Amino acid sequence: MVNPIIYGPVPSRRLGHSLGINNIPPKICSYSCVYCQLGNTVNMQVERETFYEPSEIVQSVKEKVKQVRKKGEPIDYLTFVPDGEPTLDVNLGKEIELLNSLNIKIAVITNASLIWREDVRQDLQKADWVSLKVDTISEEIWRRINRPQKSLQLDAILNGMLKFSSAFTGELATESMLIQGVNDDRQEVEGIANFLSELRPNKAYLAIPTRPPAKRTISAASEQTINMAYQVFGKRLSNVEYLIGYEGNAFASTGNAEEDLLGITSVHPMREEAVIEFLKKADTGWKVVEKLIEDGSLMAVEYQGRKFYMRKLHQHGKSSAASKA
Ligand code: SF4
């Protein structure tokens, strides 16, 4: 029988080989995001509770790690990325402590809605890598995108994030999902970027929905908008990357100019001069770019009088099924 608590390891651009820990039964969450790939939230709650005994979770992870290691496969992270909100698990901190004996780094991907609570911040402090959701800093848009449980307060959440960030010694990431016509205008993007520059994450990810969303009528922000957001974020933050569903070859040079160009532009846009430079180094010519534009995998976008090349986002059927991690 498949163990519902563990899955993977799955390849993750952010975390390498990530073994997923599903510490929340489906789908219990404090939000019901319009873009959620798990559909609408069935059980909306903000109270923390015990869903599984910590010993059950730890035992399941240990068994899986043993199996994976026996096959000689690597595990870079144990990642709490459940079918709901991981900090609703009141034993999260205890589970992280118990899992530390495995000597594998631990990651938590949270919507941050409970980070105003000190006990939640303390639990998250125990992880090595934490990702916080920051889709907006305006109350009205937050209610439209994240559709929070009604007792939650955005101000308290944003303050909680700042408190957490000033004390956290691990690696902090943020994820901002851009939805067309909702949180993707310049003013809104600048607001998010200003908040993030105070939060000082090690890396800020810009994301768009790449799987069928809970609310079918929403659309991902356009390429032009994603590029604008990248430039606006980049002015205030040192490390910005896309998270747009192409897990492929984003790290290494394969020696294949086409694949390498697609890999680089799935992480960030490239200025025209940088593309020319790249092609020169790869000992090839502009025809590579023309071919990728023609087959619909690359596109040129203008921003403030400059031309950038980026991976085409809305290429149905071609985007890889990115793992949630
Ligand atoms: S995207 Fe995450 S935070 Fe939003 S409803 Fe789905 S599980 Fe909850």
Side-chain angles (χ1 to χ4, degrees):
M1 205 183 107
V2 179
N3 183 336
I5 298 175
I6 307 294
Y7 60 95
V10 291
S12 153
R13 208 186 79 209
R14 291 181 286 180
L15 299 167
H17 299 89
S18 157
L19 189 66
I21 305 174
N22 196 358
N23 62 328
I24 304 284
K27 182 204 160 173
I28 303 174
C29 194
S30 46
Y31 282 176
S32 184
C33 302
V34 285
Y35 55 75
C36 186
Q37 62 190 33
L38 306 166
N40 287 316
T41 298
V42 183
N43 294 301
M44 172 135 345
Q45 72 174 60
V46 289
E47 300 80 31
R48 306 187 81 195
E49 65 172 78
T50 296
F51 297 99
Y52 301 101
E53 284 307 317
S55 56
E56 191 186 345
I57 292 190
V58 172
Q59 198 45 40
S60 305
V61 176
K62 283 188 172 165
E63 273 166 25
K64 185 71 185 189
V65 167
K66 212 165 141 190
Q67 281 171 21
V68 175
R69 281 184 168 156
K70 215 168 163 188
K71 283 200 233 155
E73 289 173 22
I75 303 173
D76 301 308
Y77 273 94
L78 302 174
T79 308
F80 286 85
V81 54
D83 293 339
E85 170 46 34
T87 61
L88 284 169
D89 176 3
V90 73
N91 302 309
L92 178 65
K94 193 169 176 191
E95 287 151 13
I96 295 174
E97 274 171 12
L98 290 168
L99 289 170
N100 270 331
S101 66
L102 287 168
N103 282 325
I104 305 173
K105 285 189 185 169
I106 295 177
V108 183
I109 297 181
T110 169
N111 67 17
S113 61
L114 303 180
I115 205 161
W116 50 274
R117 293 177 57 129
E118 192 169 349
D119 58 342
V120 168
R121 290 199 299 275
Q122 276 174 3
D123 285 357
L124 291 173
Q125 301 277 7
K126 295 177 181 150
D128 300 284
W129 187 100
V130 171
S131 171
L132 307 176
K133 186 187 288 303
V134 189
D135 293 339
T136 177
I137 54 150
S138 31
E139 176 90 23
E140 187 252 321
I141 294 176
W142 176 61
R143 296 204 179 279
R144 275 169 64 199
I145 292 191
N146 301 123
R147 299 189 293 183
Q149 196 270 0
K150 60 181 183 315
S151 70
L152 292 169
Q153 307 278 338
L154 181 61
D155 278 357
I157 293 171
L158 297 175
N159 275 330
M161 288 195 214
L162 293 172
K163 270 192 197 159
F164 176 71
S165 159
S166 62
F168 184 49
T169 54
E171 249 188 278
L172 184 66
T174 57
E175 188 174 326
S176 303
M177 186 76 90
L178 295 180
I179 307 295
Q180 199 170 88
V182 185
N183 65 340
D184 70 339
D185 70 45
R186 194 179 171 111
Q187 203 186 342
E188 179 57 29
V189 169
E190 281 182 347
I192 302 170
N194 286 339
F195 173 74
L196 294 184
S197 65
E198 237 185 294
L199 191 69
R200 299 162 58 91
N202 299 84
K203 203 169 266 190
Y205 288 98
L206 278 166
I208 53 157
T210 52
R211 293 192 188 161
K215 192 170 170 184
R216 292 301 161 111
T217 50
I218 63 149
S219 317
S222 68
E223 282 89 354
Q224 280 80 359
T225 306
I226 297 267
N227 183 46
M228 175 274 288
Y230 183 90
Q231 310 300 336
V232 169
F233 272 37
K235 274 210 170 125
R236 294 160 178 83
L237 299 156
S238 55
N239 211 340
V240 184
E241 281 192 11
Y242 293 148
L243 203 60
I244 54 180
Y246 303 104
E247 292 293 300
N249 163 49
F251 308 107
S253 162
T254 61
N256 174 325
E258 270 182 40
E259 278 181 31
D260 287 347
L261 258 186
L262 290 178
I264 299 166
T265 53
S266 68
V267 182
H268 52 71
M270 275 175 97
R271 294 244 292 259
E272 188 160 41
E273 306 87 277
V275 177
I276 293 169
E277 187 64 24
F278 168 85
L279 292 173
K280 217 190 277 170
K281 271 196 199 141
D283 207 16
T284 183
W286 196 253
K287 61 181 184 314
V288 173
V289 173
E290 282 169 4
K291 178 174 173 278
L292 291 175
I293 290 178
E294 209 176 277
D295 76 18
S297 38
L298 195 73
M299 69 181 290
V301 287
E302 297 268 342
Y303 181 76
Q304 294 188 332
R306 284 183 181 279
K307 200 176 252 185
F308 292 84
Y309 287 85
M310 66 177 287
R311 183 85 192 228
K312 200 158 169 26
L313 306 178
H314 306 286
Q315 204 188 356
H316 297 292
K318 274 206 171 181
S319 72
S320 69
S323 69
K324 216 182 152 197

